[in-house]
Amino acid sequence: MEKIGNIICIPGKDLDSNIYIVDDIIFDTGTGEHKDYLFSQLKEAGVNPDDIKLIVNTHCHFDHVG
């Protein structure tokens, strides 16, 4: 995981896209096949999933919208 200022980048796992978090917005959520991975990475980054206010899918490929 990489943090640049207020941007958090969670590397994709297997076929997932990378996931980006900016403030209370999450961009692209991966395939949905690795939810435990996503939630563990959020916890490691100090992000409470309940604090996410908006999900943005940059486009509709399967690896971005799970």
Side-chain angles (χ1 to χ4, degrees):
M1 173 185 338
E2 186 174 354
K3 291 184 181 183
I4 303 170
N6 67 332
I7 301 170
I8 299 167
C9 175
I10 298 173
K13 183 173 182 177
D14 295 333
L15 296 176
D16 288 350
S17 65
N18 290 336
I19 299 165
Y20 297 91
I21 301 158
V22 181
D23 299 325
D24 59 357
I25 303 169
I26 190 167
F27 292 85
D28 298 325
T29 54
T31 61
E33 296 294 318
H34 303 289
K35 294 174 193 166
D36 291 339
Y37 169 74
L38 172 57
F39 284 103
S40 71
Q41 292 295 294
L42 290 172
K43 183 177 180 180
E44 185 177 318
V47 175
N48 182 341
D50 291 334
D51 293 335
I52 300 292
K53 303 294 184 224
L54 182 66
I55 298 171
V56 175
N57 296 316
T58 58
H59 58 283
C60 62
H61 288 161
F62 80 97
D63 59 329
H64 292 256
V65 298

